[in-house]
Amino acid sequence: MKHAKFVSFTEVGAKTAERAARLLPDFLCERYARTVDPSLSNTSLSRFAQQAMVDCGLIVFVGAAGIAVRAVAPYLAGKAYDPAVVVTDEQGRFVIPLLSGHLGGANELAQRLADGLGATAVITTATDGREVFAVDNWAKAHDCAVFDPENIKFISGELLRGGTVGLRTAFSVDGRLPAHIDLKADAECGFTLGFDTKAQPFAHTLHLVPRIVSLGLGCRKGVSRDVIAKTVREALAAADVPMEAVRNAASIDIKKDEPGLLSFCAENGLPFETFTAAQLQNAPGEFTASEFVRSTVGVDSVCERAAVLASGNGSILLRKYAKNGVTAALAVQERRFCFED
């Protein structure tokens, strides 16, 4: 669950923050109200903002927009890293997304808060104002990583000018494309949808990487996180798949508490699930069998079978890659994309 922090400076603002927090049951909400909680009276707003910018998915300032801007400005990291930052006046009449409107979801969250508070959402991003296709918004909605967010500006700028933006995709696309997006155009700028982040079909290329790859893992007891990470990187390189494409990781249940695996998954933000030997044995497909593995854990293959199950019975993308006491395999979901609502 994502964390949200609400900052208020007056008693009226604290009540508005309390109302707003109730509108976000999918967030773990904390409130920082210096007027209401005397223990916070000497807490530095700058220090609070610095920490919140690192560990929160959403920060809501209840008060003046200028205070919010000055609080977060020193800690901005970039479009792909900043959390959603929203500001509302203390009476909850207007809600304004300040940062990460698309990738962080601030625009959507501002509208949600406004609806619940009976307020007006003030959305200032140009693509939303003109109802132009926003590539970063679409990427977030379809669980695609934006590999090079600095190139979003070329796509949005061209569309706002009414120009043509190219698209190259390794996946099937259903329905009609948005206006001015062309699969065949030899355009100045465009975006790709796939795993190849080195392809440069346009002078200004934005790469969208679908998070549809599952990572199956096995390891000897006590293997370190760093060794696991190194082996996974090599396996991904062998398959020409970027880390950004990996959505989850899996192994056998006897590894559910393996420190190296848990640490690796936590460091990379990967949900980690495990399966019993019986579940792995029933995974559909053909796998690289090992009698040694069968005699040890009760099933002939761990990483390949775990990858397939974690992908929802997808297809093997990379068979067992073994090195340094670690085995890794990749499986991918079948996926089609649609640009229509």
Side-chain angles (χ1 to χ4, degrees):
M1 180 178 287
K2 288 185 177 181
H3 285 70
K5 289 191 177 179
F6 288 74
V7 191
S8 60
F9 309 100
T10 66
E11 290 187 13
V12 173
K15 292 177 181 178
T16 297
E18 184 178 4
R19 289 170 55 208
R22 289 199 296 266
L23 299 171
L24 301 174
D26 49 331
F27 280 80
L28 183 61
C29 297
E30 298 178 39
R31 289 188 291 125
Y32 170 89
R34 285 188 289 186
T35 301
V36 176
D37 186 349
S39 69
L40 298 172
S41 60
N42 295 318
T43 302
S44 164
L45 177 60
S46 176
R47 180 69 184 91
F48 164 84
Q50 182 182 28
Q51 187 62 44
M53 290 290 285
V54 173
D55 61 20
C56 288
L58 168 66
I59 309 172
V60 179
F61 288 87
V62 183
I67 295 176
V69 170
R70 285 192 292 272
V72 302
Y75 312 113
L76 301 183
K79 182 186 286 283
Y81 310 103
D82 297 328
V85 177
V86 173
V87 63
T88 180
D89 61 289
E90 66 172 12
Q91 294 183 339
R93 294 175 300 178
F94 301 97
V95 186
I96 309 168
L98 293 181
L99 273 182
S100 206
H102 291 155
L103 288 180
N107 287 0
E108 179 186 350
L109 290 164
Q111 187 64 62
R112 188 167 149 192
L113 289 173
D115 291 343
L117 294 171
T120 299
V122 184
I123 311 297
T124 59
T125 43
T127 49
D128 293 272
R130 297 199 213 169
E131 297 185 344
V132 170
F133 173 72
V135 66
D136 45 353
N137 213 28
W138 184 90
K140 177 179 172 60
H142 292 80
D143 199 21
C144 293
V146 180
F147 191 78
D148 26 32
E150 67 277 7
N151 289 337
I152 292 172
K153 62 187 177 186
F154 296 110
I155 308 299
S156 297
E158 191 65 26
L159 291 174
L160 288 167
R161 288 189 293 270
T164 297
V165 166
L167 167 62
R168 301 292 184 266
T169 175
F171 299 91
S172 298
V173 173
D174 296 328
R176 293 195 307 174
L177 292 174
H180 305 291
I181 304 292
D182 196 308
L183 282 166
K184 298 180 180 179
D186 184 18
E188 177 73 11
C189 68
F191 60 101
T192 66
L193 186 58
F195 299 147
D196 187 354
T197 57
K198 296 183 179 66
Q200 295 292 330
F202 313 103
H204 302 294
T205 302
L206 174 71
H207 299 89
L208 304 186
V209 180
R211 294 189 181 96
I212 56 174
V213 174
S214 294
L215 171 64
L217 290 169
C219 70
R220 287 198 308 258
K221 184 176 181 179
V223 173
S224 72
R225 176 195 63 190
D226 292 343
V227 170
I228 292 171
K230 183 176 186 296
T231 305
V232 169
R233 286 195 299 268
E234 293 176 3
L236 290 169
D240 289 324
V241 173
M243 187 67 192
E244 288 81 359
V246 180
R247 61 183 290 268
N248 60 354
S251 190
I252 192 167
D253 59 352
I254 61 174
K255 293 296 180 180
K256 62 181 173 43
D257 297 318
E258 185 67 38
L261 290 177
L262 295 176
S263 181
F264 166 78
C265 291
E267 183 179 49
N268 290 278
L270 298 177
F272 180 59
E273 61 183 319
T274 59
F275 303 98
T276 66
Q279 289 174 313
L280 292 173
Q281 189 61 52
N282 289 326
E286 296 183 2
F287 304 98
T288 306
S290 166
E291 287 306 315
F292 173 77
V293 173
R294 188 198 302 275
S295 66
T296 304
V297 299
V299 63
D300 62 0
S301 171
V302 170
C303 63
E304 290 182 7
R305 290 179 180 273
V308 167
L309 290 182
S311 68
N313 295 339
S315 57
I316 290 284
L317 189 62
L318 176 72
R319 293 200 173 275
K320 181 172 71 174
Y321 181 93
K323 195 171 182 181
N324 303 318
V326 179
T327 60
L330 304 173
V332 63
Q333 298 172 325
E334 182 178 351
R335 185 74 180 271
R336 303 176 70 89
F337 289 91
C338 184
F339 286 85
E340 294 180 303
D341 293 334

